[in-house]
Amino acid sequence: MAFKGTENYIASEELQLAVNAAVQLQRPLLVKGEPGTGKTQLAEEIAQAMDAPLIQWHIKSTTKAQQGLYEYDAVSRLRDSQLGDDRVHDIGNYIKRGKLWEAFASEKRAVLLIDEIDKADIEFPNDLLVELDRMEFHVYETGETIRAENRPIVIITSNNEKELPDAFLRRCFFHYINFPDYDTLKAIVDVHHPGVQTELVRNALEIFFDIREVRGLKKRPSTSELIDWLKLLVSDELSADQLRDGEFKQALPPLFGALIKNEQDVHLLERLAFMSRRKDG
């Protein structure tokens, strides 16, 4: 079954091709792009479109590759042995399955999301090379080998915080999600906010893109922040005229806290608005 996006997710033709190519090649799909461009949501929508269980592994700076396979709780076993618990005779009682194990053991073909892999230690991707390539791993404590009953669809996201090893990249199909253009972004807005006044959406998008083009911004607003901003504009019943009159070149747009997330960028836009007023005056 080919992935073509969903009712809630506008996937470009290039992204659709990348997803389907990765599935066909049985390779992990490595997805990069600006924060807020829908990398994590992509895995959720693929699972929905293919009626597959979604298994999510959100990576932190302290995450180790072994945790994705399994963890052996030796401390609990020692404690139980001291208490005379019969569970201690079966070491399997102290093996905690990781997300890869869950995906490998799934009765239906699963979608496995390894989210923000670049947050982990630089050796983390290399430590998963064999397991993701062969779709199996060994549990040393029990002597069993865990093999994927149904090879999962693996989606890996990265925000480019660290360079990923070449050996890992060679095993992935890569796709970079470009920031949506005006028409694509309007289609995304229509999905999340159907029926919103056309002129309000047009004015909001113009301001949004104007802000993104400001030089020196520490963090440009993302798609998800635009969706939140529009939700607030609609709930506050702001008209298209009110939004246009608050164009950031003359003053910061209403409810700008949904778009601008740090004080440096607020001060930058305030300076630009001040300089624009002086020039017009």
Side-chain angles (χ1 to χ4, degrees), residues 14-226:
E14 293 80 9
L15 179 55
Q16 294 176 39
L17 288 171
V19 171
N20 295 318
V23 172
Q24 182 69 27
L25 292 171
Q26 297 187 335
R27 297 281 189 180
L29 175 61
L30 174 61
V31 184
K32 293 186 179 182
E34 285 187 35
T37 49
K39 299 186 297 297
T40 300
Q41 188 184 354
L42 173 63
E44 300 170 1
E45 300 300 329
I46 292 172
Q48 177 186 325
M50 299 188 173
D51 190 27
L54 174 64
I55 298 171
Q56 304 184 60
W57 188 14
H58 299 289
I59 307 303
K60 302 178 181 178
S61 59
T62 55
T63 303
K64 302 300 180 185
Q66 179 64 34
Q67 294 171 304
L69 308 180
Y70 68 93
E71 293 181 273
Y72 169 50
D73 191 351
V75 174
S76 292
R77 192 182 187 206
L78 176 61
R79 182 193 62 225
D80 289 347
S81 67
Q82 293 170 340
L83 295 174
D85 195 322
D86 287 341
R87 295 176 71 251
V88 75
H89 299 297
D90 183 359
I91 197 171
N93 291 325
Y94 305 93
I95 301 292
K96 179 183 177 183
R97 293 185 177 190
K99 298 298 184 180
L100 266 73
W101 190 333
E102 288 182 29
F104 289 2
S106 176
E107 293 183 1
K108 292 182 64 177
R109 188 183 199 184
V111 174
L112 172 63
L113 169 64
I114 304 177
D115 197 26
E116 298 188 332
I117 194 172
D118 52 323
K119 282 188 174 180
D121 183 86
I122 189 62
E123 291 303 320
F124 179 93
N126 279 338
D127 290 343
L128 289 177
L129 283 180
V130 173
E131 290 77 10
L132 289 176
D133 209 21
R134 297 182 181 174
M135 286 289 156
E136 67 176 41
F137 63 90
H138 189 70
V139 182
Y140 296 98
E141 290 77 6
T142 63
E144 61 183 321
T145 297
I146 307 301
R147 294 185 179 89
E149 296 295 330
N150 297 289
R151 191 180 186 99
I153 299 168
V154 182
I155 308 299
I156 302 172
T157 72
S158 170
N159 285 326
N160 255 350
E161 291 184 12
K162 295 189 186 81
E163 287 293 326
L164 298 175
D166 288 345
F168 180 79
L169 294 175
R170 283 197 298 272
R171 288 166 169 81
C172 296
F173 192 94
F174 172 76
H175 181 75
Y176 185 89
I177 299 181
N178 290 309
F179 195 83
D181 59 19
Y182 183 95
D183 291 337
T184 304
L185 202 52
K186 186 178 183 307
I188 293 172
V189 167
D190 290 342
V191 166
H192 288 84
H193 299 295
V196 175
Q197 185 186 27
T198 302
E199 190 177 354
L200 177 64
V201 172
R202 182 171 60 250
N203 289 346
L205 285 173
E206 288 176 359
I207 292 173
F208 175 79
F209 277 107
D210 282 346
I211 291 176
R212 279 185 56 86
E213 290 173 5
V214 170
R215 284 190 173 186
L217 277 185
K218 186 174 181 181
K219 181 191 178 304
R220 295 190 292 179
S222 68
T223 305
S224 59
E225 288 158 345
L226 170 65

Side-chain angles (χ1 to χ4, degrees), residues 214-221 260-266 268:
V214 170
R215 284 190 173 186
L217 277 185
K218 186 174 181 181
K219 181 191 178 304
R220 295 190 292 179
I260 310 301
K261 299 300 177 71
N262 62 71
E263 64 277 12
Q264 295 97 317
D265 289 346
V266 171
L268 173 60

